[in-house]
């Protein structure tokens, strides 16, 4: 990242080629893909968790998925698919994690919609789920990383063998409840 700008960010979607990531101005040489609609871009990561860890970002600086227009939302996920599949094939890795932290309570360190694509190889972490701790701790600078680690409680994810299956009834009750949320609130977001 080449510069930090003030709170009045350049709107990267309005006909110029400047790409912002939150308040950070991204060097054009670090953008390796732009969607055909120019609504999304893929950038190399300043602080990758694993080799090949990249970010797909909306061109317009907004902090939450719900702030994207339907066109921006669709384009973001189409871009994720293009970037993920191209990197998997080109770098010859066997899988990847695709992760998004949608809001500060979810661990988002830069208030700009961004999707992490992390290439994975069998055995790259002692516990496969350790990648989530690394994603949770990730930030674009060491200072922000240390602040996040100090302020946010660590999520304790038990090993699979230590997890108890839920009952079919509990799962059915949750499905019914979540369906009610969809029926009540989905018209607001579409």
């Amino acid at each position: 990242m080449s510069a930090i700008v003030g709170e009045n960010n350049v709107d990267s979607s309005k006909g110029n080629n400047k790409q912002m990531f939150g308040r950070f101005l991204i060097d054009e040489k670090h953008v390796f893909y732009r969607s055909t609609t120019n609504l999304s871009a893929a950038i190399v990561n300043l602080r990758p968790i694993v080799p090949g860890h990249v970010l797909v970002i909306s061109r317009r600086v907004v902090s939450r998925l719900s702030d994207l227009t339907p066109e921006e939302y669709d384009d973001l996920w189409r871009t994720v698919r293009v970037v993920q599949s191209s990197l998997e094939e080109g770098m010859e890795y066997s899988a990847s994690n695709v992760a998004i932290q949608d809001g500060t309570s979810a661990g988002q360190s830069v208030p700009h919609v961004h999707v992490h694509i992390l290439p994975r190889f069998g055995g790259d972490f002692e516990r496969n789920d350790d990648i989530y701790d690394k994603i949770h701790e990730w930030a674009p600078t060491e200072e922000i990383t240390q602040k996040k680690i100090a302020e946010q409680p660590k999520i304790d994810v038990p090993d699979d063998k230590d997890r108890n299956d839920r009952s079919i009834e509990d799962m059915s009750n949750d499905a019914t409840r979540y369906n009610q949320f969809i029926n009540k609130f989905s018209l607001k977001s579409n």
Side-chain angles (χ1 to χ4, degrees):
M1 291 181 208
S2 57
I4 299 174
V5 296
E7 294 305 314
N8 295 327
N9 294 333
V10 175
D11 183 349
S12 299
S13 65
K14 297 283 190 228
N16 65 51
N17 234 9
K18 293 187 191 280
Q19 179 61 60
M20 301 301 298
F21 177 46
R23 62 190 178 108
F24 300 98
L25 177 61
I26 302 301
D27 188 312
E28 186 61 29
K29 292 178 277 192
H30 300 162
V31 177
F32 66 92
Y33 179 79
R34 291 193 190 281
S35 68
T36 57
T37 63
N38 205 32
L39 296 175
S40 303
I43 62 174
V44 295
N45 197 327
L46 177 67
R47 301 184 71 235
I49 293 171
V50 295
H53 174 191
V54 300
L55 303 175
V56 173
I57 60 179
S58 60
R59 288 279 288 156
R60 191 167 60 94
V61 178
V62 296
S63 60
R64 300 290 309 274
L65 282 170
S66 60
D67 296 330
L68 295 172
T69 66
E71 294 80 14
E72 290 170 323
Y73 185 90
D74 291 346
D75 190 75
L76 180 82
W77 291 108
R78 280 192 305 273
T79 301
V80 166
R81 185 176 4 188
V82 166
V83 171
Q84 178 189 9
S85 63
S86 298
L87 292 180
E88 279 189 10
E89 189 163 328
M91 295 177 70
E92 298 179 352
Y93 53 84
S94 59
S96 52
N97 283 93
V98 176
I100 188 163
Q101 297 158 303
D102 195 26
T104 55
S105 295
Q108 184 186 49
S109 57
V110 176
H112 184 159
V113 170
H114 59 285
V115 180
H116 295 260
I117 300 176
L118 301 103
R120 298 296 305 277
F121 300 94
D124 56 357
F125 284 87
E126 184 176 331
R127 282 182 348 129
N128 205 33
D129 285 347
D130 287 346
I131 189 78
Y132 299 111
D133 291 335
K134 296 295 185 187
I135 293 169
H136 186 71
E137 295 167 359
W138 182 91
T141 68
E142 184 60 30
E143 178 183 345
I144 296 171
T145 297
Q146 293 308 314
K147 184 177 178 186
K148 278 179 74 173
I149 291 170
E151 291 178 357
Q152 293 185 4
K154 185 171 171 133
I155 300 169
D156 184 28
V157 180
D159 286 327
D160 284 344
K161 66 180 175 33
D162 297 328
R163 294 182 190 183
N164 295 321
D165 291 345
R166 298 171 60 202
S167 72
I168 291 174
E169 182 180 353
D170 284 344
M171 293 171 58
S172 295
N173 289 339
D174 278 352
T176 298
R177 187 168 139 237
Y178 300 157
N179 180 262
Q180 290 169 349
F181 295 157
I182 298 294
N183 290 332
K184 183 174 182 180
F185 299 113
S186 67
L187 293 179
K188 290 181 182 178
S189 63
N190 289 334

